[in-house]
Amino acid sequence: MNRVEIPMSAEDFLRQGDARIERGDYLGAQEDYNGALLLNPDYAKAYAQRGLVFLHLKDNSAALKDFQKAAELFLAQGNLANYQLVRDYAQKIQQPVGRVRSV
């Protein structure tokens, strides 16, 4: 019997990337999020998740870029909760090292 391959959607790539993050496979997750973004360049959650991957890989510059793009897209979509979440991540990256934030 011939096997039929069904193409993956952006959401499929996102779910696969999320599963890889949970296993600690950050490079594999990055590839999956890249795949999601190739299919849907306006996929805010994929930018946010890839930003988390970049944080784990210690690439703060790439993480910041992805968090900023995710924030822009979440705001345009009216998703204020996720907008604020990724903005918080971006702001933490931009804080100078050693600076203590006052309460």
Side-chain angles (χ1 to χ4, degrees):
M1 181 178 283
N2 289 338
R3 199 173 154 177
V4 176
E5 289 208 22
I6 300 171
M8 288 180 63
S9 68
E11 291 77 18
D12 293 331
F13 276 111
L14 185 86
R15 281 191 292 275
Q16 185 169 287
D18 291 348
R20 288 185 187 206
I21 280 182
E22 290 199 17
R23 293 192 309 265
D25 179 8
Y26 300 114
L27 293 176
Q30 179 184 354
E31 289 176 16
D32 289 327
Y33 298 136
N34 290 343
L37 291 166
L38 281 173
L39 294 174
N40 182 357
D42 294 327
Y43 200 178
K45 189 167 183 184
Y47 281 106
Q49 292 298 96
R50 193 175 69 176
L52 291 174
V53 166
F54 285 133
L55 278 183
H56 283 285
L57 297 174
K58 309 282 190 243
D59 188 345
N60 287 358
S61 176
L64 179 60
K65 184 178 173 184
D66 273 2
F67 289 143
Q68 289 171 333
K69 181 65 175 180
E72 171 190 319
L73 292 169
F74 280 132
L75 185 60
Q77 296 163 4
N79 187 334
L80 299 181
N82 282 335
Y83 164 76
Q84 190 59 54
L85 183 66
V86 294
R87 284 271 321 222
D88 289 348
Y89 275 116
Q91 288 175 345
K92 287 178 185 175
I93 290 171
Q94 292 175 310
Q95 286 182 348
V97 176
R99 182 176 168 193
V100 177
R101 197 170 172 189
S102 62
V103 178

